[in-house]
Amino acid sequence: MSEQNTYESDSSFLARWAENKLSKEELSEFQKTEAYKDFQRINEVAQQFEAPTLDLEAALTKTKLKTHPKTKVISLKKYWYAAAASVVILLGTISFLNSSISYTVPNGGTALAVSLPDGSKVQLNAGSKLSHKRFFWKNNRALNLDGEAYFEVEKGNKFSVETSYGTVSVLGTKFNVKARKNNFDLKCFEGAVRFDQKNTNNYKILYQNDRISITNSTTIKEEKSTENLPNWLQQLSIYKAQALQIVLDDLAIQYAIKIENKSTDLSRLFSGSFIHNNLETALKTTLTPMGISYTLSEDKKTVYLP
């Protein structure tokens, strides 16, 4: 198998190599080429790449000073085009290898099941976004999460989930992460989980049934929970002494509605639950026990509080 017949002639070859999908024969032949070493170096650069600032004018001037006057026009054009072409190819390859895949569930959307390249599974809740690098997954099992998701992680290299509150890292386990605007919640269902809080030296190790949360401060609250699965996977949200603001934020996400409040105190603590498949029932179970009246717009898109 020649180089021309592999990565140069097959447009999918590099993508399959990056995803570890080449056959043993293809990989063996590719590893014998000089091109393989080059692409390995490109991949290493891609992992920590930041686009360089290129001062082409300065480089052009420097080259002019070193070039004989009678040949400078021809030389400069030749080398400038070659250099520019090399930069374009390099940046294009790095960009390709460093690209990401994103999964998004809008407010009011149905939970999305995601299978990761190593066999790990994720359930993504409404109003959530998950992303990870497209290639070299087994060497860098890192994701970014904005919202809520339940993870079942296959054993292997370190697996990490980056959130605005900090990083959750494991080797193989089951856990649920909720990282919303006003609160963070992490529950370990199996195995062990480590949480490193952002911009601090604080960290926590969680084992089965351990749970931590952060609301409106940097203080980490610890508690025990005996749930077998996250309640949201059963179309239910349950709260214990939680600020009503957080409860209503979650309700707004699950039903894709707006909640307009004039003067109701939403810092009051709520203990109870709401279901995810009937808006009016959900509103009654959250607001009526708190003695709060409300009005639902005709299109059922806005809730007005006094």
Side-chain angles (χ1 to χ4, degrees), residues 202-215:
N202 298 333
Y203 73 90
K204 296 290 182 181
I205 305 293
L206 286 71
Y207 298 96
Q208 187 173 17
N209 295 329
D210 287 344
R211 183 175 191 168
I212 61 172
S213 60
I214 303 173
T215 55

Side-chain angles (χ1 to χ4, degrees), residues 58 66 103 110 143-144 158 160 165 187 192 208 260 274:
K66 295 182 178 181
Y103 308 90
T110 302
L143 304 98
N144 285 279
K158 178 182 175 182
S160 63
Y165 292 82
K187 165 71 190 297
Q208 187 173 17
E260 296 192 4
F274 69 79

